[in-house]
Amino acid sequence: MRLAATVSVVVLGSGAIGHAVMTGLDTGIERVDPFKDMKNRPQAGHGVNFLLVGTDGRDKITPDQKRDYRLGGAPCHCTDTIMLVHISADRERASVVSLPRDSYAEVPEHIDATTGKLRRAHPVKLNAAYAEGGPNLTVRTVENMTRVKIDHYLEVDFTSFMKTVDAMGGVEICTAKPMQDSYTGLDLQPGTHRLTGGQALQYVRARHVDGASDLGRMQRQQRFVAALIKQSTGGGILLNPVKFKQVSSTLLGSVRADRGFGSEQMLALGQAMRDFAPSSSEFASVPVGDASFPVKGLGETVKWDEAKAAKVFAALRDDRPLAPARPAPAPGPGRAAPQPAVPVDVAPQQIRIQVENGTRIDGMGGRVDEALRATGFDTTRAPGNAASREIKRTVVTYDPRWDRSARTVATALPGIELRAVAGQGRTLIVTAGSDYKKVVPVRAEDPYQGEFGVVTGDQVVCGG
C-alpha cells in the first residue's frame, strides 16, 4: 500500500496561500468524474468526506529507482491504498479510516472498464473495483459498504509521493525496534530517522516487518501520516507560500481529482487545517472479523466485523470523534501510581477472550475475566467452567491466524501454555489454572485506544 494519496490532503493545507497561487496550481490537476450517473447514494452527513486512493504507478519509476527500492514487476492497475478521510464540520478534527485492500466486497452492476461489457454484481477484493470500473466503481463500492457519502475523490501514484516527501525535506519517523524487510529493502534501527522519499516509500510499503502483513502496514502508514501532519504544520510548510507551492506543484503533477475539487476547495481546506497539530488527527482501521476469510475464486480476503464497522462509519456520518476521551491525569501525591503497562504488538482492545475456570476455586473465572478486562481485553464477561476442574497451568487456546494476539495474552499472563487450535476463530479461550496469580497490564506499542483501535497523531509521532 502506498500513502501517496494521503499526502494530497496534508500538503494542500495552507491558510497563508492566496487565491492566485492556488489558481496556478489548479491547472496541474488531472480531472476524473467518479460520481457520474450515480444513484441511490447515501444521505450527506456533516463535515466533508474524501476518498483517497493510491495507485501503483511503477511504470513511471526509473530503472535506478526500481532497483534501489525493490519495485520490480508490472503495475497492478488497482488501488493499493484506500482511505476515508473525514474533516469535521467545525474544521477541528480529521478522522482517517484505512480500508484494507483485500477487504471482501461486492461490486455493484457496472460496465467493465477493460471489456466494455455489462457485469452483474459479484464479490471481489476491494482493490479490484478500480481495475474493473475505475474511480466510479471504486466510489460506488465504498459507499455501498460504508453508507458514507463521498464528497471528493483524490488519486495519487507513489512516484509523486516520493517526490513530494523529498520536496518537504523528508519526514521524521521513530521506531522502538529494528525494522527490516528484504522485499522492500527497508532497514531501520531503533531510534529517530528522517526518511527521504524513497525510504518513506519503503517504510509504507513494508509487509514483512512482522507477522501483521497488510494490517501492520496500515498501522505504519497511519504513523507516517501523523508524522507528515507534524512536519507540515510544525515545519512551517503550510505558512510559507514559496515552500508550499514547491511541495504542492510536485504533488499535483500526477494527482487526479473530481471536478468539484478545485482552487477554492483547496484553499478552504488549507484554511481549515492551518491550526492543525498532530493531536487534531485520529486514525483507525476498519474492525476486522476474519483476516483470512476464504472466498471461492478470490482466495483469502479480509472480512470486516460488520457490527463494529457499522459503528465506525456511523460516527463519521454523525461527525463524532472515533477516539475515546483522554484518560484522567496521573495520580497525585499520596496516591500510588499504577503498575507500568508492558508494550505488546497487538492492542488488548482488539483481542476477544472467553475465560473458563479450570480450578475448583469458585469465582476464579470471574476474577480472571475482570482482571483481563481491566487491562483492556475484550472479554465476553460471561466466564464458564472448563471440562476439567483440575487444571494446574493456565492454558490459552487460539487459532493460528491470531498468533500475534496469543503472544499479547501470554505477556499479560506470564507462564501460561499456548495451544494452537486450527479453525477456532478470532476468540481466544483462557482456561485459568491453579497457578494463576494476576494479570500484568499491557498496552500496544502504538497506543491504540477504545473499541475501534483508534490512535491520535500526537501518540505516534516523535516526541518533542
Side-chain angles (χ1 to χ4, degrees), residues 195-219:
L195 304 184
T196 65
Q199 292 170 328
L201 185 62
Q202 292 173 316
Y203 180 82
V204 300
R205 287 183 62 235
R207 297 178 67 246
H208 304 277
V209 170
D210 50 36
S213 190
D214 282 336
L215 301 181
R217 175 160 60 172
M218 285 193 300
Q219 292 179 5

Side-chain angles (χ1 to χ4, degrees), residues 422-452:
Q424 178 171 298
R426 69 179 293 260
T427 300
L428 281 68
I429 299 176
V430 173
T431 303
S434 57
D435 66 338
Y436 170 77
K437 294 183 176 60
K438 66 176 183 177
V439 172
V440 175
V442 296
R443 63 171 177 81
E445 183 180 33
D446 282 350
Y448 281 67
Q449 296 182 353
E451 181 182 10
F452 307 135

Side-chain angles (χ1 to χ4, degrees), residues 6 83-86 94-98 222 225 282-285 322:
T6 308
M83 290 183 175
L84 269 177
V85 176
H86 174 79
S95 303
V96 181
V97 180
S98 297
Q222 293 168 354
V225 175
E282 56 180 10
F283 302 89
S285 300
L322 299 174

Side-chain angles (χ1 to χ4, degrees), residues 40-110:
N40 301 319
R41 301 186 65 193
Q43 184 176 353
H46 301 287
V48 181
N49 298 312
F50 291 81
L51 183 63
L52 306 179
V53 304
T55 56
D56 196 313
R58 72 181 69 199
D59 50 333
K60 302 176 184 178
I61 297 291
T62 68
D64 287 344
Q65 289 173 323
K66 285 185 178 181
R67 182 185 64 252
D68 292 343
Y69 305 122
R70 315 288 174 86
L71 294 169
C76 70
H77 302 296
C78 57
T79 49
D80 266 356
T81 299
I82 309 169
M83 290 183 175
L84 269 177
V85 176
H86 174 79
I87 307 296
S88 62
D90 60 13
R91 302 300 190 259
E92 293 183 358
R93 183 183 67 257
S95 303
V96 181
V97 180
S98 297
L99 311 182
R101 65 177 186 174
D102 289 338
S103 296
Y104 174 82
E106 185 168 296
V107 293
E109 184 178 90
H110 63 280

Side-chain angles (χ1 to χ4, degrees), residues 27 32 80 93 155 180 259 270 316 322 354 363 391 418 428:
T27 59
V32 295
D80 266 356
R93 183 183 67 257
E155 174 189 320
Q180 282 96 24
R259 300 182 188 280
L316 296 187
L322 299 174
Q354 169 64 41
I391 303 297
L418 289 176
L428 281 68

